[in-house]
Amino acid sequence: MRMEQSTTGTRTRDIVIRGPVTEPVALTVNGSTYAVELEPRVSLLDALREHLDLTGTKKGCDQGTCGACTVWVDGRRVLACLTLAMTCESHEVTTIEGLAPDGEPHPMQTAFIEHDAFQCGYCTAGQIMSAVALLQEGNATTDEDIAEYMSGNICRCAAYPNIRDAIREVRDTASGGAARGGAAMEGADKSGPGKGKNKRKGK
Amino acid sequence: MRPISYVRVSDVDEAVAAVTASPGRAFLAGGTTEVDLLRLGVIEPDVVVDINDLPLAAIEDLPDGGVRIGALARMSDVARAPSVRERFPGMSEALLLGASEQLRNMATIGGNLCQRTRCAYFRDGLSACNKREPGTGCSAMDGANRAHAILGTSDKCIATHPSDLAVALVALDAVVQTIGPSGARSIPIGSFYLEPGDTPDREHPLEYGELIASIDVPGNPLAGDSFYLKFRDRESYEFALVSVFAAARVRNDRVDALRLALGGVGTVPWRARRAEARLTGGSATVEEFAAAADEELRDAAPREHNAFKVEFARRVIVRALGQATRGEKS
């Protein structure tokens, strides 16, 4: 870390420059805050896998194409490979490990198993993080909607019909089969941003 | 990825100061293009200045019925903002037909405007590319150029501009509001995108350290019926081969007002001014639509693999004009 003085007009400011060597970084993941040493160039994906041993999040393309690294930042699904870890300080990261904090599978995880929604399983963590977010977003009304809003998650085994079945089932179960695509998603709320995580933190 | 340093800033002046303090620095917003290009070695800033904490994410109504979109508003938020959906549906559609929901949650509007081309020769960091390394030549000219531009090209560069949103913005005469080392200024979107000419490395008039603060989209009575059609190799999560933003008003069988712009075919988001001029005041018939399309595409400069885009664009224009003049939405 170094300080630099920068002048605009009549005002001089101190600017804090971190890196390029490792710097202390505080990352909040699944409700726990971790202190790690990272270079600024380290992606959130590499920080999770290589520094926090949270290897549920997978590295597929590492260029924002495949969706295998989908996680939530502040409850929104994003790609961990295109996110620099340092930018996540003061934000809440949720990974697939955070979906089942008490060892009880999330309803979406159960549905993926029941519907055989994977073959090799490499894309599955990303698919599930995307699928739970999709139901929270409320854009899963039709099969076409599910296909469209899941298009950022590639499955090279092509388990797409089964993935769609799993999502549909959780959607219909969560909403009592009526208000489709609504925000009511018991499981997701439990492990979603805000509420659940903060509670777990206190445990 | 080569090493970088990192600065997080909390106000706009600090952001501008942090970049302009030294050469080789870059603003970092959503990162969806920038982190990718950093990793590919295509861009090589020493310091990235994280602007995500700046208060530039609001989406506000303008007095003329338009909307001011903060540069840090995310694509997904803008697409679903009631003011955008209701008054500028074609812009909302353009946003939702781009990228994936994960990327739309990350990518900002300012970043979307500044995103770089998907030309493979630009992105590989190795091939001759006048945009990446001026003077080295253009590998796409006689290379794999199926996705490349047919309008606004030069003998130095035929890279396609990838943004869908920008197609809507050029049709709607948006204004880019910036803050830079020399203060604030407004840049009409029509002068924001620079055709490659002899300097394909220069894509917009922003000076070093100049930050986009917002995009103003002026109110437009046509825009409430606007739509965006996008044609591509797969149904979702793909860049356009040809896309079109259209809005029209017909009175007494005459085209009274028209906004038309094309994506996927231009080196810049392409306002179809010739087609607009040809058709405005004319009759709303398929023959007139075809004539307007031909007028727009008269100077098209196809290469070996993208010649299909000329006829493709022609048909897309005719279809869009039909829908627009019949008052159909997409």
Side-chain angles (χ1 to χ4, degrees):
Chain A
M1 189 180 92
R2 65 193 163 94
M3 303 290 279
E4 179 183 273
Q5 286 207 327
S6 170
T7 307
T8 355
T10 54
R11 188 168 170 193
T12 300
R13 294 160 178 273
D14 286 327
I15 291 166
V16 181
I17 300 180
R18 300 160 77 192
V21 294
T22 58
E23 298 274 357
V25 180
L27 289 179
T28 303
V29 183
N30 303 328
S32 301
T33 300
Y34 300 86
V36 284
E37 296 273 331
L38 300 174
E39 293 179 28
R41 63 176 165 172
V42 173
S43 68
L44 175 60
L45 176 59
D46 285 341
L48 291 170
R49 292 182 53 84
E50 309 295 334
H51 295 265
L52 302 180
D53 292 332
L54 293 168
T55 54
T57 306
K58 296 294 186 274
K59 182 184 281 190
C61 66
D62 212 24
Q63 59 170 7
T65 305
C66 76
C69 68
T70 301
V71 299
W72 303 343
V73 173
D74 295 337
R76 289 157 66 101
R77 51 173 160 152
V78 300
L79 300 178
C81 73
L82 294 183
T83 303
L84 295 181
M86 255 184 206
T87 65
C88 294
E89 278 185 309
S90 75
H91 296 281
E92 304 230 340
V93 178
T94 308
T95 68
I96 188 77
E97 290 89 346
L99 266 193
D102 306 318
E104 273 300 302
H106 185 281
M108 190 65 76
Q109 292 173 307
T110 305
F112 264 61
I113 293 166
E114 282 172 0
H115 289 275
D116 196 17
F118 48 84
Q119 288 180 40
C120 82
Y122 200 79
C123 71
T124 308
Q127 297 280 1
I128 289 174
M129 293 307 284
S130 227
V132 175
L134 167 66
L135 294 184
Q136 288 176 316
E137 291 154 8
N139 291 317
T141 310
T142 63
D143 282 2
E144 289 72 25
D145 284 345
I146 295 174
E148 173 62 33
Y149 288 101
M150 288 296 290
S151 70
N153 292 83
I154 310 288
C155 173
R156 286 294 78 143
C157 306
Y160 298 112
N162 305 36
I163 292 169
R164 206 170 310 160
D165 289 348
I167 294 171
R168 210 165 30 206
E169 184 194 302
V170 178
R171 175 197 70 193
D172 294 343
T173 307
S175 59
R180 293 181 157 197
M185 246 296 289
E186 197 191 323
D189 283 346
K190 204 167 67 180
S191 51
K195 317 158 200 167
K197 272 205 305 264
N198 292 335
K199 270 186 225 151
R200 285 201 305 282
K201 203 174 180 179
K203 277 180 189 169
Chain B
M1 192 193 295
R2 63 194 279 279
I4 49 169
S5 293
Y6 174 87
V7 178
R8 190 187 277 207
V9 292
S10 54
D11 72 60
V12 172
D13 290 341
E14 189 184 4
V16 171
V19 167
T20 49
S22 172
R25 299 188 174 184
F27 297 115
L28 175 69
T32 53
T33 295
E34 192 167 336
V35 174
D36 186 26
L37 294 181
L38 268 167
R39 193 168 291 135
L40 291 169
V42 173
I43 57 170
E44 301 187 320
D46 301 314
V47 179
V48 296
V49 176
D50 181 352
I51 56 170
N52 285 293
D53 289 346
L54 303 187
L56 297 176
I59 303 166
E60 300 163 307
D61 286 345
L62 293 172
D64 71 344
V67 62
R68 167 168 291 176
I69 305 168
L72 290 176
R74 309 289 150 165
M75 286 173 71
S76 54
D77 294 329
V78 178
R80 296 191 176 87
S83 54
V84 174
R85 290 184 87 133
E86 287 157 23
R87 302 206 295 273
F88 304 96
M91 184 160 74
S92 176
E93 290 165 13
L95 283 161
L96 290 175
L97 289 169
S100 67
E101 191 67 8
Q102 291 98 310
L103 289 164
R104 292 191 292 264
N105 280 341
M106 301 170 73
T108 65
I109 295 306
N112 185 298
L113 260 61
C114 294
Q115 68 182 298
R116 310 302 301 275
T117 182
R118 307 303 293 192
C119 173
Y121 301 106
F122 170 78
R123 285 172 53 82
D124 72 11
L126 298 166
S127 302
C129 172
N130 289 321
K131 187 181 278 299
R132 180 165 34 72
E133 269 186 80
T136 56
C138 174
S139 304
M141 206 63 76
D142 296 306
N145 49 31
R146 178 170 177 275
H148 287 72
I150 55 171
L151 295 170
T153 58
S154 76
D155 61 357
K156 301 287 190 298
C157 182
I158 55 172
T160 309
H161 194 277
S163 173
D164 293 298
L165 170 67
V167 175
L169 293 176
V170 296
L172 293 166
D173 288 330
V175 177
V176 182
Q177 307 287 0
T178 73
I179 299 168
S182 321
R185 64 169 169 155
S186 303
I187 307 170
I189 194 119
S191 4
F192 186 80
Y193 288 110
L194 308 177
E195 290 181 21
D198 288 330
T199 53
D201 54 311
R202 188 137 175 80
E203 297 178 350
H204 48 66
L206 295 179
E207 58 177 314
Y208 184 65
E210 188 173 3
L211 180 68
I212 298 176
S214 67
I215 318 296
D216 289 358
V217 186
N220 184 322
L222 287 186
D225 291 321
S226 62
F227 59 84
Y228 190 75
L229 301 178
K230 183 173 179 178
F231 300 90
R232 43 191 165 171
D233 280 333
R234 57 183 182 196
E235 226 175 292
S236 180
Y237 196 16
E238 182 56 278
F239 293 92
L241 288 170
V242 181
S243 66
V244 60
F245 174 100
R249 185 176 56 216
V250 178
R251 278 193 187 147
N252 304 323
D253 295 327
R254 299 258 157 206
V255 178
D256 187 47
L258 172 66
R259 293 290 175 104
L260 191 71
L262 304 171
V265 290
T267 53
V268 295
W270 196 262
R271 175 79 176 266
R273 289 196 183 276
R274 286 183 185 173
E276 286 180 358
R278 175 74 168 74
L279 196 57
T280 303
S283 57
T285 62
V286 173
E287 292 72 26
E288 285 301 304
F289 302 156
D294 287 339
E295 185 71 21
E296 192 59 51
L297 296 163
R298 197 180 52 200
D299 293 334
R303 305 295 300 180
E304 184 181 358
H305 305 293
N306 67 359
F308 72 99
K309 283 191 177 183
V310 181
E311 177 61 18
F312 196 171
R314 184 177 179 276
R315 295 183 191 194
V316 168
I317 293 171
V318 170
R319 173 168 161 175
L321 289 172
Q323 282 183 217
T325 53
R326 288 192 301 272
E328 295 170 12
K329 302 202 180 174
S330 59

